[in-house]
Amino acid sequence: QVQLVESGGGLVQAGGSLRLSCGASGRTVSTYTMGWFRQAPGKEREFVASIIWIGGFTYYADSVKGRFTMSRDNAKNTLYLKMNGLKPEDTAVYYCATRRGGASNSAAEYDYWGQGTQVTVSS
């Protein structure tokens, strides 16, 4: 049974920072591709970042490149998303997810999801 549990969301002013965490059980974050997605009200779930299991290479959506950093702690089997320079348009529920295979920015290709954590950025 794979379980992903996100935490770290909250309310922050524009320009501020947050760090999201995703604790995993039933699947080792260092041997699977892990991703962060977000969904704003009335919008489709969109790709934010991913880290592939081999080499730990990271990929980012253009909208967050240079502001967000994804990392993992293999010893804690935990995924992180450090978000700097937050903007009101970053407001969304953030989800972590996992899939077998290589990098993907398609939500449909991820097979396990967390419950999400709300991030709200005020202007």
Side-chain angles (χ1 to χ4, degrees), residues 35-93:
W36 285 99
F37 289 77
R38 65 187 182 186
Q39 188 166 19
K43 295 188 177 181
E44 292 187 354
R45 193 166 295 190
E46 67 171 356
F47 170 76
V48 175
S50 65
I51 184 167
I52 63 172
W53 66 275
I54 187 168
F57 297 106
T58 51
Y59 301 87
Y60 298 93
D62 288 342
S63 58
V64 307
K65 204 171 292 183
R67 299 188 297 122
F68 290 11
T69 303
M70 183 175 184
S71 62
R72 65 188 182 199
D73 184 327
N74 295 340
K76 295 182 178 180
N77 208 34
T78 298
L79 197 64
Y80 300 100
L81 184 68
K82 182 65 187 299
M83 305 185 294
N84 296 323
L86 283 162
K87 305 175 181 179
E89 52 263 43
D90 294 319
T91 295
V93 177

Side-chain angles (χ1 to χ4, degrees), residues 9-23:
L11 173 64
V12 64
Q13 288 189 330
S17 299
L18 283 174
R19 189 181 77 159
L20 306 183
S21 300
C22 174

Side-chain angles (χ1 to χ4, degrees), residues 49 115 119:
Q115 82 290 347
V119 171

